[in-house]
């Protein structure tokens, strides 16, 4: 769907969100590709820190009028989650649509 670094960029979404969060290079993007049965939709890299923004993907079905949004988050490094920065913590703390966070 789109990439975001500010709340204004995703505030219009109102579908349930499932967020994939965790350390750098743990396989968050690869897991989303596996769920979506593709190898190329979500970019992956052997180099840690490749994802630097929130990446939103829509998961829709003909069987249901409701969509689900998958969110690929940047990983945090080997030191702490503080490296995520304010925009990541604001996202995690402020989204009413956020239903699940998968920590990998």
């Amino acid at each position: 769907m789109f990439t975001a670094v500010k709340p204004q960029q995703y505030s219009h979404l109102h579908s349930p969100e499932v967020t994939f969060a965790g350390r750098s290079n743990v396989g968050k993007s690869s897991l989303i590709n596996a769920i979506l049965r593709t190898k190329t939709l979500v970019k992956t890299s052997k180099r840690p820190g490749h994802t630097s923004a929130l990446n939103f993907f829509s998961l829709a079905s003909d069987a249901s009028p409701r969509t689900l949004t998958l969110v690929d988050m940047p990983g945090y490094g080997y030191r702490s989650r503080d490296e995520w920065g304010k925009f990541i913590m604001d996202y995690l703390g402020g989204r009413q649509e956020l239903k699940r966070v998968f920590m990998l």
Side-chain angles (χ1 to χ4, degrees), residues 10-82:
Y10 54 79
S11 62
H12 66 282
L13 292 178
H14 298 293
S15 61
E17 297 169 12
V18 177
T19 301
F20 295 81
R23 293 180 73 86
S24 292
N25 240 30
V26 76
K28 297 177 296 295
S29 300
S30 296
L31 178 58
I32 293 173
N33 276 334
I35 290 169
L36 299 177
R37 296 183 181 170
T38 182
K39 292 185 179 184
T40 58
L41 181 64
V42 184
K43 277 189 166 181
T44 61
S45 175
K46 292 182 182 190
R47 167 177 66 89
H50 184 74
T51 304
S52 59
L54 299 170
N55 295 297
F56 292 79
F57 301 92
S58 177
L59 187 59
S61 163
D62 291 338
S64 173
R66 197 131 192 229
T67 61
L68 179 69
T69 301
L70 302 182
V71 184
D72 189 17
M73 295 182 66
Y76 58 87
Y78 298 102
R79 286 170 281 177
S80 73
R81 291 183 186 157
D82 294 338

